[in-house]
Structures are given as C-alpha cells and as structure tokens.
Amino acid sequence: MSDPSPRGRYRVRPADQNETTVPNEVTGPTFDHRDEAERYAHSLVLAHQAPVVVEKLAPAGCWLQLGIIG
C-alpha cells in the first residue's frame, strides 16, 4: 500500500528575470497535481501579463523548477 501524496507538491510563483538564486522565503499557492498548477499558472499569465514559475517539491525538500510560463 502506498502513502498518499503530500499536499502541495507543486508551486506557482512569480518569475524574476534577474533571479540567480531563489530567495529563502518564497510564497505562492501550492497544488496536489501538476496539471492544476499549470492551469493556475496559465490563468495568472493571462490576467497579469507576467511570467510565472511552476516548481515541484523534491523528496529532499527543495523546490525544482519545471518551467516558466509566460
């Protein structure tokens, strides 16, 4: 029997073109599934005309960038 997936494994946050490292305190909505995060990211881009980053929480506890939308 497998463990249920942890809540909020995918995160959407604003993209910063000048960003070289991710700040320690990054906030953004989290989602259980990648498709939910990407749908939300696309709606943000349409509404605010600004790029966003979709990330996934790795088993080690760090966030891995999956892509930039926008």
Side-chain angles (χ1 to χ4, degrees):
M1 182 181 236
S2 64
D3 294 331
S5 62
R7 292 229 8 109
R9 292 178 40 194
Y10 297 90
R11 175 172 72 186
V12 176
R13 65 177 181 85
D16 182 354
Q17 291 180 345
N18 299 322
E19 184 177 278
T20 56
T21 61
V22 178
N24 289 335
E25 300 275 336
V26 174
T27 59
T30 58
F31 302 87
D32 292 330
H33 304 284
R34 183 176 182 170
D35 60 333
E36 293 172 340
E38 289 179 344
R39 267 196 307 272
Y40 179 77
H42 283 287
S43 69
L44 277 181
V45 169
L46 289 174
H48 299 285
Q49 300 298 311
V52 295
V53 177
V54 178
E55 299 171 313
K56 179 180 182 180
L57 183 60
C62 61
W63 290 95
L64 304 174
Q65 183 175 339
L66 297 175
I68 297 176
I69 298 174

